[in-house]
Amino acid sequence: MLKSIFKELVSQYKNETAETLWLEINEHYNVKDRKYHNLIHLKNMYKELLACKELITDWKTVLFALFYHDIIYKSTRNDNEEQSALLAEKRLKLINYPEDRIAKCKQLILATKSHLPVSDIDTNLFTDSDLSILGYDWETYYNYSKNVRKEYSFYPDILYKPGRKKVLQHFLSMTYIFKTDYFREKYEDNAKENLRKELTKL
């Protein structure tokens, strides 16, 4: 599904590069130590964004941001978003995507670093979709939390658990986790319940 969506998107600009660009995306997201930041995560985000497509002003740019936002992901680094945005810029220039929309794509990707509310609705919907799993049913959420732990398996519990607690407490300290009314109504209450429940297990 993701392959056909991506290739159709790219083909509107430069058909001959669609397969090559997809193979690069597929290779990056299928690295074996990616237990959460993989194609399943992209598929989930796509489903969430498709459900609120009518609220999005630049659907194609949001889709490009979706495919590239975690293309560079190493749990030992803190510049994954910046590196992903740079790679997205290079690839979108290759297909002659408009400069102003390349800039927006980079903005969308970089926003997933802090998940802070901004004035742009597309950005808020995009970052909310990135966090949507926080509000899923407990079993799905708990599997997500275990997969995140696997991505940081090089840390012993004595280091990982305090860091994870800090992340969970950060989200719980927010008035709202989700920036948009759409995602807030859908997932806010359940997300906070899941975060509290995970905290008790650490």
Side-chain angles (χ1 to χ4, degrees):
M1 179 191 78
L2 291 177
K3 179 180 180 179
S4 61
I5 292 165
F6 180 79
K7 289 183 69 175
E8 182 183 344
L9 183 63
V10 173
S11 295
Q12 296 172 49
Y13 301 92
K14 201 169 184 179
N15 183 55
E16 62 270 25
T17 62
E19 178 69 19
T20 301
L21 294 183
W22 168 255
L23 289 174
E24 179 182 51
I25 286 170
N26 190 59
E27 180 182 357
H28 278 268
Y29 282 97
N30 277 314
V31 172
K32 65 178 181 179
D33 59 355
R34 288 199 187 209
K35 304 303 182 185
Y36 173 67
H37 293 90
N38 51 33
L39 291 178
I40 295 171
H41 172 52
L42 295 197
K43 190 180 292 187
N44 178 66
M45 281 184 68
Y46 176 76
K47 178 191 72 175
E48 293 291 346
L49 290 165
L50 187 63
C52 62
K53 184 179 178 180
E54 72 281 357
L55 301 175
I56 295 171
T57 62
D58 188 348
W59 178 245
K60 290 179 183 178
T61 301
V62 166
L63 280 185
F64 275 124
L66 163 69
F67 284 105
Y68 283 101
H69 82 285
D70 280 331
I71 191 164
I72 304 298
Y73 184 81
K74 294 180 181 177
S75 49
T76 54
R77 298 180 63 119
N78 63 3
D79 64 345
N80 291 310
E81 294 83 2
E82 290 85 353
Q83 294 302 316
S84 294
L86 286 172
L87 184 55
E89 180 180 32
K90 290 178 184 176
R91 298 301 179 257
L92 293 180
K93 282 183 175 179
L94 187 67
I95 65 168
N96 299 314
Y97 200 59
E99 287 287 341
D100 60 327
R101 297 172 83 182
I102 292 176
K104 177 163 182 174
C105 182
K106 290 177 67 181
Q107 168 198 313
L108 287 162
I109 294 170
L110 292 171
T112 63
K113 191 176 185 80
S114 62
H115 290 94
L116 295 174
V118 296
S119 58
D120 178 63
I121 183 63
D122 288 358
T123 304
N124 289 334
L125 288 167
F126 186 70
T127 54
D128 276 358
S129 73
D130 193 35
L131 296 178
S132 59
I133 199 165
L134 300 183
Y136 283 18
D137 64 274
W138 169 249
E139 183 180 357
T140 303
Y141 173 90
Y142 193 47
N143 282 333
Y144 142 77
S145 70
K146 288 190 287 187
N147 284 331
V148 170
R149 178 66 183 103
K150 289 173 185 175
E151 289 188 342
Y152 289 87
S153 59
F154 53 89
Y155 284 127
D157 280 350
I158 195 170
L159 293 177
Y160 178 79
K161 287 187 175 183
R164 182 65 178 171
K165 283 179 181 178
K166 188 176 179 180
V167 170
L168 300 179
Q169 288 163 345
H170 167 70
F171 279 121
L172 285 169
S173 70
M174 295 176 168
T175 304
Y176 295 111
I177 294 169
F178 297 99
K179 281 76 65 182
T180 61
D181 290 339
Y182 174 83
F183 279 98
R184 198 175 293 158
E185 290 169 8
K186 199 173 180 181
Y187 293 127
E188 185 76 27
D189 291 344
N190 212 47
K192 288 190 172 174
E193 184 179 334
N194 284 335
L195 294 167
R196 291 189 195 100
K197 195 168 180 179
E198 186 188 349
L199 262 178
T200 66
K201 292 182 176 292
L202 289 173

